[in-house]
Amino acid sequence: MEINKSKVLIVGGTGYVGRRIVKASLQQGHETYVLQRRELGLYDIEKVQMLLSFKRLGARLVEASFSDHRSLVEAVRLADVVVCAMSGVPFRSHNILLQLKLVDAIKEAGNVKRFLPSEFGMDAGRMGHALAPGRITFDDKVTVRKAIEEARIPYTYVSANCFAGYFIGGLCDFNSLTPPKGKVHLYGDGNVKAIFVDEDDVGTYTIKAIDDPRTLNKTLYLRPSDNILSQRQLVEMYESLSGKRVETVLIPEKDFLASMAGLDYIGQIGVGHYYHIFYEGSLTNFEIGAGGVEASELYPEVRYTRMDDYMKQYL
């Protein structure tokens, strides 16, 4: 017998990940509310139109503002589950700590049975050693986690690893989102394993988890086994699919770290994150312990996108 599906409030629904979560929530049959920030209509017609497209699909728009605590409380009271997908990347907008206001609203409302804060990348709880200035992303997420747990709000943290759109087209080259014109830079020997996930699958797994007792107060890791790949394997995959040879240029660890000195703040953050992923292997150098579960094992019915299929769109 199917359990009653939770009502879901999605904050940050017009963002890169948020829009996928909204669609997944609707597709999986949840009564779906999307927060519409009161300030939005003043400056961003594209986001307003996206919100209206969600409305046409069946979502309900809820107007509120982070500068108005009462409006947040009222929005939260409409739902059983709150999912936040506010941007945590500095080249868009770094709004992670705004979630502390959402935590306060959830605490006061008292009805929310699960909160999924904006995580979706590397597991912030494992990145206490991260390089500055990029560590701000992880430090802020840990600050939000601490507030959630101190408020005794039930939670699930989603660690989605590498969004395929940012990595697959350019074969993980730091400077490109599209296939190389002849050569690609390999980090170290190019053999460190990372994890790549289709963005739509991130939305699907996230919504699958919200009513699942197995994910309560745990981290949900998206580690689909076929998508645990090294950069060198991605290059070989591209060569096989395209029939083109790619020249590889190795970047020693010390040279990659030294490149940070000539970059602006945003570039330095990017280099730091790439270093942890492709030199340290921070996505794959640990076993999922008692505090975590793995999405593709919990939900084998999800036919996740393999990276060879994802790569074909670039050819």
Side-chain angles (χ1 to χ4, degrees), residues 207-236:
I207 295 299
K208 283 272 186 183
I210 64 175
D211 284 327
D212 190 340
R214 297 172 297 178
T215 63
L216 180 62
N217 295 336
K218 292 184 182 294
T219 298
L220 178 70
Y221 294 94
L222 277 54
R223 279 191 177 189
S225 58
D226 289 342
N227 292 356
I228 302 174
L229 301 162
S230 68
Q231 188 188 13
R232 190 176 290 277
Q233 285 177 302
L234 288 177
V235 170
E236 293 168 355

Side-chain angles (χ1 to χ4, degrees), residues 49-264:
Q49 291 187 341
M50 189 184 301
L51 286 165
L52 292 174
S53 75
F54 295 154
K55 188 177 178 182
R56 289 193 294 272
L57 291 172
R60 303 182 187 188
L61 305 184
V62 181
E63 191 176 282
S65 173
F66 276 85
S67 62
D68 180 355
H69 173 72
R70 184 52 44 198
S71 71
L72 284 181
V73 172
E74 291 172 356
V76 164
R77 283 185 172 148
L78 294 170
D80 307 304
V81 172
V82 177
V83 182
C84 187
M86 297 178 72
S87 176
V89 289
F91 60 84
R92 289 179 179 268
S93 56
H94 187 80
N95 290 327
I96 293 298
L97 290 182
L98 261 185
Q99 293 180 103
L100 295 175
K101 295 186 177 184
L102 194 54
V103 170
D104 288 340
I106 292 170
K107 184 177 180 181
E108 180 174 330
N111 63 293
V112 171
K113 65 181 186 182
R114 192 86 65 100
F115 178 38
L116 285 70
S118 185
E119 294 259 343
F120 305 109
M122 288 183 266
D123 179 2
R126 295 180 179 273
M127 298 306 296
H129 67 290
L131 297 173
R135 66 172 299 137
I136 186 175
T137 300
F138 311 117
D139 289 348
D140 285 357
K141 288 178 178 180
V142 168
T143 297
V144 173
R145 287 187 181 192
K146 186 170 184 286
I148 292 168
E149 292 167 26
E150 287 181 350
R152 299 186 181 278
I153 297 169
Y155 64 85
T156 297
Y157 305 138
V158 179
S159 175
N161 297 301
C162 295
F163 297 151
Y166 283 102
F167 292 88
I168 299 304
L171 306 181
C172 303
D173 194 304
F174 185 69
N175 297 304
S176 181
L177 294 174
T178 54
K181 297 296 185 255
K183 65 181 179 181
V184 65
H185 294 93
L186 288 188
Y187 307 109
D189 60 9
N191 291 322
V192 172
K193 293 289 181 73
I195 305 168
F196 307 93
V197 185
D198 176 281
E199 293 86 344
D200 290 332
D201 292 340
V202 174
T204 298
Y205 283 127
T206 296
I207 295 299
K208 283 272 186 183
I210 64 175
D211 284 327
D212 190 340
R214 297 172 297 178
T215 63
L216 180 62
N217 295 336
K218 292 184 182 294
T219 298
L220 178 70
Y221 294 94
L222 277 54
R223 279 191 177 189
S225 58
D226 289 342
N227 292 356
I228 302 174
L229 301 162
S230 68
Q231 188 188 13
R232 190 176 290 277
Q233 285 177 302
L234 288 177
V235 170
E236 293 168 355
M237 185 183 292
Y238 175 77
E239 290 180 330
S240 176
L241 289 170
S242 68
K244 301 175 182 177
R245 293 288 297 167
V246 177
E247 178 188 354
T248 55
V249 179
L250 305 184
I251 306 178
E253 179 178 336
K254 60 180 177 60
D255 292 347
F256 188 70
L257 287 174
S259 72
M260 190 184 289
L263 299 175
D264 61 13

